[in-house]
Amino acid sequence: HWKARLHEVIFEADTPKGKAFDVLLFVAILGSVIVVSLESVARLDAKHHDLFVLLEWGFTLVFTVEYVLRLSCVGRPSKYALSFFGIVDLLAILPTYLGLLFPGVQTFLVIRALRLLRVFRVFKLTRMLGEATALKNSLYNARSRIAVFLTMVGILVAITGATLYVIEGPEAGFTSIPVGMYWAVVTLTTVGYGDIAPQTALGQSLAALLMIMGYSLIVVPTSIITAEMTRTDPISTQACPECSREGHDRNAIYCKYCSAAL
Amino acid sequence: HWKARLHEVIFEADTPKGKAFDVLLFVAILGSVIVVSLESVARLDAKHHDLFVLLEWGFTLVFTVEYVLRLSCVGRPSKYALSFFGIVDLLAILPTYLGLLFPGVQTFLVIRALRLLRVFRVFKLTRMLGEATALKNSLYNARSRIAVFLTMVGILVAITGATLYVIEGPEAGFTSIPVGMYWAVVTLTTVGYGDIAPQTALGQSLAALLMIMGYSLIVVPTSIITAEMTRTDPISTQACPECSREGHDRNAIYCKYCSAAL
Amino acid sequence: HWKARLHEVIFEADTPKGKAFDVLLFVAILGSVIVVSLESVARLDAKHHDLFVLLEWGFTLVFTVEYVLRLSCVGRPSKYALSFFGIVDLLAILPTYLGLLFPGVQTFLVIRALRLLRVFRVFKLTRMLGEATALKNSLYNARSRIAVFLTMVGILVAITGATLYVIEGPEAGFTSIPVGMYWAVVTLTTVGYGDIAPQTALGQSLAALLMIMGYSLIVVPTSIITAEMTRTDPISTQACPECSREGHDRNAIYCKYCSAAL
Amino acid sequence: HWKARLHEVIFEADTPKGKAFDVLLFVAILGSVIVVSLESVARLDAKHHDLFVLLEWGFTLVFTVEYVLRLSCVGRPSKYALSFFGIVDLLAILPTYLGLLFPGVQTFLVIRALRLLRVFRVFKLTRMLGEATALKNSLYNARSRIAVFLTMVGILVAITGATLYVIEGPEAGFTSIPVGMYWAVVTLTTVGYGDIAPQTALGQSLAALLMIMGYSLIVVPTSIITAEMTRTDPISTQACPECSREGHDRNAIYCKYCSAAL
């Protein structure tokens, strides 16, 4: 039953061996992301090119072996290969091999960063996943409000971008409506690069209005999610069978008003 | 009764035909906004000018027919023509025709983006409108706080803008008090283009103060709306049968104003 | 008793005459601020210099008469003259007269913007003041948390500013430690002008850290005020004399659980 | 027992002498930080170099004497020397002495700013520490959510930075993947210097997406901490006399786990 033991080491994080494997893997992924990043720095690549190539191939071979082992010890290899992590694992090794045919593809190795999501397995998996789930649930419950919010932002961006394009023109950097929309997003989100900025009095007045809207609009998603998270947290919808009073916590077993079993 | 059937298709979204019409219309509006945007990109317009003109006239004719049909099947055409969506629908087709007389007016076709607000009809109209209404109510209830907040921001912007104009002068870009106010808005909202920025020690100190105020002030609208949205939650909509006053908590058994049983 | 009647018109906003006076005054203040602002625009001043001077003197005479009337109809003139609004009213007319002796002082007329605070008298004074008081109370209750927060921000700014000055030096714009602190405020508050920006890898890494801290730190004041506002709002600390239960609203007259008078 | 009396003056803030010492020390620390800052301004240093050197040595001697006194009157000097404030106190005087051997080290005197943390001792120590503790507890309770949030931000930054590096290349300032990551942090946190900014349509579209994500993401930490701080509120600290479990609501009469009367 080498398969079962291998599965325990690779896919579980509860046993000492499984945890050690996950920690080592996490270090290797982080290391490979750093190598790919440093390789892109011209000055460093000129000095240590051979080292970087060596490390890249080293990490790729390690991840290839790991990928093959994962496929071999899992029950249904095809199901794993088509899962989110299965595809990420494959994409994390492909660019190195493809780089032999098409030079320059190696940069996409940075997709290995996605593998860092495995970190949640290493440090108290269950609890973290619980937190992530709570966030996801809040976002899911608030999805229609978020959709209303994003649609309104989209319409605001489209109309402001086009208006500023008409008012300012190419001199101020507004060379087209899509560029105007890009500027509107940059301004509404309060990023404000400054590469494109209104120059006329009318354009600046409208931009000031857009900024105040963008500054205040952040209130909307904040209050949506906050209301959602404070609402979903403590209260169950269960009513006490004895005194019919509501407002019990989800983990309550007995009614806090009359001590009847819920 | 072709009028009633037409009305159902155009104005309702519950029947299959009505939904299909709304989806098609939404796609057409989105397409026409994209065409107007791309037409403004000089490089693309040089290549595909004739195609863009063709598409623009196509969309305009479709929207014109739709506008006429809407007017013809509605009970009181004049009331619809003067409603928000009626005016938007008219403004969405006018620029193309006016463009024959005054070249360059076509850019205003981007006002068609406002028609995208119809999207709320397509995807679960009622629920989304409910969410939008909740937001609107919170904003309405908080209107005096928002007015206090905006007035104070306005006064702060006016005084800081003028002060920086006096301190910095035209060398740093502060060419007039209105420009100084524009800079104050850019800074207070944390957009920070950088096209105008204080250069003197005194100016930079005051700017730093303004930034910290702007950074902290966001707290005010956030807490206003959050308090509003979380407050509306626990309040029941029940009115007292005796004194007819509202605003009772959900767990109230007796009216807190006149002690009558709820 | 012309004094009493004058006082009613000038200081009250409840009678029709008092309201009309306040609205007219508000329009005059807004107009005078706009005139001062436009006068600073070189292009407009070149064209309409005489008109601006005329309007400035007109507004100043009106405000002077108003100031004298206020002093004459109030009970204790010296007390009004030394109150916040009394000083603002004086500062709002002085610069024009001082401008005869020292040219260029007129710019300070913008201090008239402070008089716009009177707007709260015009539109439902009491309610707005109530809202402003609620905000002020929340800020007052949270003053020690705010002090802790601002002290920590100050220390963070001082240390980061000095560190970046050491790392980057004058080439990147960090000409001294105070300039470094200014940059740290610009970055921490997410304003980001870009006139000073780190160029070295180490400086950029530290700056990225500072940005993420600044981005996340906004959480602290937000949660402080939100917790404060949601806490102070509805609940009184009064317990029912009959059933001893707590959690009553501040405006409650009868216990909502047992209908006893509170 | 001069040691006990000295300890009271230096380490306590409740007695008049202790408070006076703390206030004087605070002023001295603030003064020394200002001197170090002003010394770095070339223009001021050229004029007052000797004064700055004199003041620097004066403050250093004062702080050295204070450090020696602290060590001499404390019970276990080694324990104090290795505590956080002990190390900060030492680092606050070392650079001046080291500056005799290695010129330029004096800039690190700015580390004295950390000593300003002692301010909390001066103004109502206990209460402020209580507030700081409340904040710290909220952060501690929310640590797994914060870790999830920061990991996701890190992965997002890594992948966006690399993607923009591939799309934009060195012309737009994206000279390497680490620079791209720096840009991603600058954009995601809405700082937006503008020294590096996408130029191509594809790059700008992706950047706009990143901005909207960064603009909305602020919601996550805000809601996490707010939920944490408002959650701790309504829970009573009462433990059940039967089963000893905590976490009961303030209005609970019976234990919700075992139905015993609270």
Side-chain angles (χ1 to χ4, degrees):
Chain A
H1 304 87
W2 62 272
K3 265 196 180 183
R5 254 179 293 154
L6 196 62
H7 187 276
E8 204 179 297
V9 171
I10 296 183
F11 282 94
E12 310 287 328
D14 297 335
T15 59
K17 279 185 192 171
K19 188 151 193 181
F21 177 83
D22 276 344
V23 170
L24 278 178
L25 184 63
F26 179 67
V27 171
I29 297 169
L30 205 63
S32 77
V33 169
I34 292 173
V35 166
V36 175
S37 300
L38 295 183
E39 202 182 344
S40 73
V41 182
R43 195 168 43 77
L44 291 178
D45 192 45
K47 252 199 231 162
H48 310 290
H49 184 71
D50 293 343
L51 178 69
F52 286 146
V53 170
L54 195 76
L55 282 170
E56 195 184 305
W57 275 104
F59 282 123
T60 303
L61 289 180
V62 168
F63 293 153
T64 308
V65 170
E66 181 220 339
Y67 182 65
V68 171
L69 286 179
R70 275 185 195 273
L71 282 183
S72 66
C73 76
V74 94
R76 290 196 220 153
S78 65
K79 206 186 156 194
Y80 176 75
L82 294 172
S83 71
F84 173 71
F85 275 116
I87 292 169
V88 166
D89 288 353
L90 183 61
L91 288 176
I93 49 175
L94 268 191
T96 314
Y97 298 114
L98 289 177
L100 293 176
L101 299 172
F102 317 100
V105 191
Q106 281 97 330
T107 310
F108 292 106
L109 283 171
V110 134
I111 211 164
R112 282 175 182 168
L114 270 183
R115 298 199 76 201
L116 291 175
L117 283 170
R118 288 191 188 274
V119 67
F120 297 130
R121 298 177 48 82
V122 185
F123 307 110
K124 290 210 194 109
L125 172 76
T126 356
R127 189 167 168 200
M128 285 224 173
L129 280 188
E131 301 289 354
T133 308
L135 276 178
K136 214 160 60 182
N137 282 349
S138 293
L139 290 173
Y140 183 80
N141 287 335
R143 68 189 179 290
S144 11
R145 289 191 184 184
I146 292 171
V148 169
F149 175 67
L150 286 183
T151 310
M152 294 207 164
V153 165
I155 293 172
L156 186 64
V157 161
I159 289 179
T160 333
T163 312
L164 264 285
Y165 163 71
V166 173
I167 295 174
E168 293 286 334
E171 297 83 35
F174 294 83
T175 50
S176 67
I177 293 181
V179 167
M181 290 180 185
Y182 168 70
W183 168 85
V185 171
V186 169
T187 300
L188 193 77
T189 56
T190 78
V191 170
Y193 284 137
D195 50 351
I196 309 163
Q199 308 290 339
T200 66
L202 184 59
Q204 291 184 339
S205 310
L206 282 176
L209 226 85
L210 185 67
M211 284 166 209
I212 289 176
M213 293 193 70
Y215 182 68
S216 314
L217 266 178
I218 190 66
V219 164
V220 176
T222 306
S223 64
I224 288 171
I225 299 292
T226 306
E228 205 57 55
M229 290 195 85
T230 48
R231 190 192 314 164
T232 52
D233 252 301
I235 305 292
S236 128
T237 56
Q238 201 174 12
C240 172
E242 289 282 312
C243 69
S244 300
R245 295 179 67 177
E246 299 186 7
H248 302 292
D249 294 350
R250 286 211 185 123
N251 59 354
I253 300 164
Y254 296 101
C255 172
K256 63 185 177 180
Y257 299 113
C258 72
S259 83
L262 288 175
Chain B
H1 304 92
W2 64 271
K3 266 196 179 184
R5 254 177 296 153
L6 196 61
H7 187 276
E8 205 180 296
V9 171
I10 296 184
F11 283 93
E12 311 286 328
D14 298 335
T15 58
K17 279 184 192 171
K19 187 149 195 182
F21 177 83
D22 277 345
V23 170
L24 278 178
L25 185 61
F26 180 68
V27 171
I29 297 170
L30 204 64
S32 77
V33 169
I34 291 172
V35 165
V36 175
S37 299
L38 294 183
E39 201 182 344
S40 73
V41 182
R43 193 167 45 78
L44 292 178
D45 193 44
K47 252 199 232 162
H48 310 291
H49 184 71
D50 292 343
L51 177 68
F52 286 145
V53 169
L54 195 76
L55 282 171
E56 194 185 305
W57 275 104
F59 282 122
T60 303
L61 288 180
V62 167
F63 294 152
T64 308
V65 170
E66 181 219 340
Y67 182 66
V68 171
L69 286 180
R70 275 184 194 272
L71 281 183
S72 66
C73 77
V74 93
R76 292 196 220 152
S78 65
K79 207 186 155 197
Y80 175 75
L82 294 172
S83 72
F84 174 71
F85 275 116
I87 293 170
V88 166
D89 287 353
L90 184 61
L91 288 176
I93 49 175
L94 268 191
T96 314
Y97 297 115
L98 290 177
L100 293 177
L101 300 171
F102 317 100
V105 191
Q106 282 98 328
T107 311
F108 293 106
L109 283 171
V110 134
I111 211 164
R112 280 174 183 169
L114 269 183
R115 299 198 76 199
L116 291 175
L117 283 170
R118 286 189 189 275
V119 67
F120 296 129
R121 298 177 48 81
V122 185
F123 308 110
K124 289 212 195 106
L125 172 75
T126 354
R127 189 166 168 200
M128 285 223 172
L129 280 187
E131 301 290 354
T133 308
L135 276 177
K136 215 160 61 183
N137 282 350
S138 294
L139 289 173
Y140 183 80
N141 288 335
R143 68 190 180 288
S144 12
R145 290 192 183 184
I146 292 171
V148 169
F149 175 67
L150 285 183
T151 311
M152 295 207 162
V153 164
I155 293 173
L156 185 65
V157 161
I159 290 179
T160 333
T163 311
L164 264 285
Y165 163 70
V166 173
I167 294 174
E168 293 286 334
E171 297 83 36
F174 293 83
T175 50
S176 67
I177 293 181
V179 166
M181 290 179 185
Y182 168 70
W183 168 85
V185 171
V186 168
T187 300
L188 193 76
T189 56
T190 76
V191 170
Y193 284 138
D195 49 352
I196 310 163
Q199 308 289 339
T200 67
L202 184 58
Q204 291 184 338
S205 310
L206 282 176
L209 226 85
L210 185 68
M211 284 166 209
I212 289 176
M213 292 193 70
Y215 182 67
S216 313
L217 267 178
I218 190 65
V219 164
V220 176
T222 306
S223 63
I224 289 171
I225 300 291
T226 305
E228 204 58 56
M229 291 194 87
T230 49
R231 192 193 309 166
T232 51
D233 255 306
I235 305 257
S236 123
T237 56
Q238 200 174 14
C240 172
E242 288 282 312
C243 68
S244 301
R245 294 178 69 176
E246 299 187 9
H248 302 291
D249 294 351
R250 284 211 186 124
N251 60 353
I253 301 163
Y254 297 101
C255 172
K256 63 185 177 180
Y257 299 113
C258 71
S259 84
L262 289 174
Chain C
H1 304 90
W2 62 272
K3 265 197 181 183
R5 254 177 295 153
L6 196 62
H7 187 275
E8 205 180 297
V9 171
I10 296 183
F11 283 92
E12 310 287 329
D14 297 335
T15 60
K17 279 185 192 170
K19 187 149 194 181
F21 176 84
D22 277 345
V23 169
L24 278 177
L25 185 62
F26 179 68
V27 171
I29 297 169
L30 205 63
S32 76
V33 169
I34 291 172
V35 165
V36 175
S37 299
L38 293 184
E39 202 182 343
S40 72
V41 182
R43 195 167 43 79
L44 292 178
D45 192 45
K47 253 199 230 162
H48 310 291
H49 184 71
D50 293 343
L51 177 69
F52 286 146
V53 170
L54 195 76
L55 282 170
E56 195 185 304
W57 275 103
F59 282 123
T60 302
L61 289 179
V62 168
F63 293 153
T64 309
V65 170
E66 182 220 339
Y67 182 65
V68 171
L69 286 179
R70 276 184 193 273
L71 281 182
S72 65
C73 78
V74 94
R76 291 196 220 153
S78 64
K79 206 186 154 196
Y80 176 75
L82 293 172
S83 72
F84 173 71
F85 274 117
I87 292 170
V88 166
D89 287 354
L90 184 62
L91 288 176
I93 50 175
L94 269 190
T96 314
Y97 297 114
L98 288 177
L100 293 176
L101 300 172
F102 317 99
V105 192
Q106 282 98 328
T107 311
F108 293 106
L109 283 171
V110 134
I111 210 163
R112 280 173 183 169
L114 269 183
R115 297 198 77 201
L116 291 175
L117 283 171
R118 287 189 189 275
V119 67
F120 297 130
R121 298 178 47 82
V122 185
F123 308 110
K124 290 214 195 105
L125 172 75
T126 355
R127 189 166 169 200
M128 284 222 172
L129 281 187
E131 301 290 355
T133 309
L135 275 178
K136 215 161 60 184
N137 282 351
S138 294
L139 289 174
Y140 182 80
N141 288 334
R143 68 189 179 290
S144 12
R145 288 192 184 184
I146 292 171
V148 169
F149 175 67
L150 286 183
T151 311
M152 294 209 162
V153 164
I155 293 173
L156 185 65
V157 161
I159 290 179
T160 333
T163 311
L164 264 285
Y165 163 71
V166 174
I167 294 174
E168 293 286 335
E171 298 82 36
F174 293 83
T175 51
S176 67
I177 292 180
V179 167
M181 290 179 185
Y182 168 70
W183 167 85
V185 171
V186 169
T187 300
L188 194 75
T189 56
T190 76
V191 171
Y193 284 138
D195 49 352
I196 310 162
Q199 308 291 338
T200 66
L202 184 58
Q204 290 184 339
S205 309
L206 282 175
L209 226 84
L210 185 68
M211 284 167 209
I212 288 175
M213 292 193 70
Y215 182 68
S216 314
L217 267 177
I218 190 65
V219 164
V220 176
T222 306
S223 63
I224 288 171
I225 300 292
T226 305
E228 204 57 55
M229 291 195 85
T230 48
R231 191 192 314 165
T232 52
D233 251 301
I235 305 292
S236 130
T237 55
Q238 202 174 12
C240 173
E242 288 283 312
C243 69
S244 300
R245 294 178 67 177
E246 299 186 8
H248 302 291
D249 293 351
R250 285 212 184 123
N251 59 355
I253 301 163
Y254 296 100
C255 171
K256 64 184 177 181
Y257 299 113
C258 71
S259 84
L262 288 175
Chain D
H1 305 87
W2 62 272
K3 264 196 180 184
R5 254 178 296 154
L6 195 63
H7 187 275
E8 203 180 298
V9 171
I10 295 183
F11 282 93
E12 311 286 328
D14 297 335
T15 60
K17 279 185 192 170
K19 187 149 196 183
F21 177 83
D22 276 346
V23 170
L24 278 178
L25 184 63
F26 180 68
V27 171
I29 296 169
L30 205 63
S32 76
V33 169
I34 291 173
V35 166
V36 174
S37 298
L38 293 184
E39 203 181 342
S40 73
V41 182
R43 195 167 44 76
L44 292 179
D45 192 45
K47 254 200 230 161
H48 310 290
H49 185 70
D50 293 342
L51 178 69
F52 285 146
V53 169
L54 195 77
L55 282 170
E56 194 185 306
W57 274 103
F59 282 123
T60 302
L61 289 179
V62 168
F63 293 154
T64 309
V65 170
E66 183 220 338
Y67 182 65
V68 171
L69 286 179
R70 275 184 194 272
L71 280 183
S72 65
C73 77
V74 94
R76 290 195 218 154
S78 65
K79 206 186 155 196
Y80 175 74
L82 294 172
S83 71
F84 173 71
F85 273 116
I87 292 170
V88 166
D89 288 353
L90 184 61
L91 288 177
I93 49 176
L94 268 191
T96 315
Y97 297 113
L98 289 177
L100 293 177
L101 300 173
F102 317 100
V105 190
Q106 281 97 329
T107 310
F108 292 107
L109 284 171
V110 134
I111 209 165
R112 281 174 183 169
L114 269 184
R115 297 199 77 202
L116 291 175
L117 282 171
R118 287 190 187 275
V119 67
F120 297 131
R121 299 178 46 82
V122 186
F123 308 110
K124 290 212 193 108
L125 172 76
T126 355
R127 190 167 168 200
M128 284 226 173
L129 282 188
E131 301 290 354
T133 309
L135 275 178
K136 214 160 60 184
N137 282 350
S138 293
L139 290 174
Y140 182 79
N141 288 334
R143 68 190 179 290
S144 12
R145 288 192 184 184
I146 293 171
V148 169
F149 175 67
L150 287 183
T151 310
M152 294 207 164
V153 164
I155 293 173
L156 186 64
V157 162
I159 290 179
T160 334
T163 312
L164 264 285
Y165 162 70
V166 174
I167 294 174
E168 293 287 333
E171 297 83 36
F174 294 83
T175 49
S176 67
I177 292 180
V179 166
M181 290 178 184
Y182 168 70
W183 167 86
V185 171
V186 169
T187 300
L188 193 75
T189 57
T190 77
V191 171
Y193 284 138
D195 48 353
I196 311 163
Q199 308 291 340
T200 65
L202 184 59
Q204 291 184 339
S205 310
L206 282 176
L209 226 85
L210 185 67
M211 284 167 208
I212 289 176
M213 291 194 70
Y215 182 69
S216 313
L217 266 179
I218 190 66
V219 163
V220 175
T222 307
S223 64
I224 287 171
I225 300 292
T226 306
E228 205 57 56
M229 290 195 86
T230 50
R231 191 192 311 166
T232 51
D233 254 305
I235 303 261
S236 125
T237 55
Q238 201 174 14
C240 172
E242 288 283 311
C243 69
S244 301
R245 294 178 69 175
E246 298 187 10
H248 301 292
D249 293 351
R250 285 212 185 123
N251 60 354
I253 301 164
Y254 297 101
C255 172
K256 64 184 176 180
Y257 298 113
C258 71
S259 84
L262 288 175

